[in-house]
Amino acid sequence: QVQLVESGGGLVQAGGSLRLSCAASGRTFSNYAPAWFRQAPGKEREFVARISWRGDSTYYADSVKGRFTISRDNVKNTVYLQMNNLKPEDTAVYYCAARSPVTNDYDYWGQGTQVTVSS
């Protein structure tokens, strides 16, 4: 089992920045490939960004490319999402997830953290 706890959400004006953190505990987190997803009210959950287990490969949704940066610290068992130049359409609950090397699915999810961007 891997437990994930997000933090760092809040209310920010458009153009502002936030950094989300996802603290992992349980099994060796370095073996898992984490990602961030988000879900806006009335919309389906969507992929935001992911990072490889070594941290040397990243991938972003087109909507956040160039504004968001995902990173990880395997010593601290923490994944980060630096969000710059935030837009009102970034408003959502942001979830951290971990992809199992066995199933290759996102088997573990955090409880989410709310990000609200005002115009």
Side-chain angles (χ1 to χ4, degrees), residues 38-87:
R38 67 186 181 185
Q39 187 167 20
K43 295 187 178 181
E44 293 188 353
R45 186 171 59 196
E46 64 175 359
F47 167 80
V48 175
R50 69 170 183 254
I51 188 167
S52 63
W53 68 273
R54 288 187 298 184
D56 58 352
S57 176
T58 57
Y59 185 78
Y60 299 91
D62 287 343
S63 59
V64 306
K65 199 173 297 183
R67 299 187 298 121
F68 291 11
T69 303
I70 188 172
S71 61
R72 68 186 298 169
D73 184 333
N74 285 343
V75 174
K76 296 182 178 179
N77 285 342
T78 302
V79 181
Y80 304 98
L81 186 68
Q82 178 66 43
M83 306 185 295
N84 297 328
N85 191 22
L86 283 161
K87 304 176 180 180

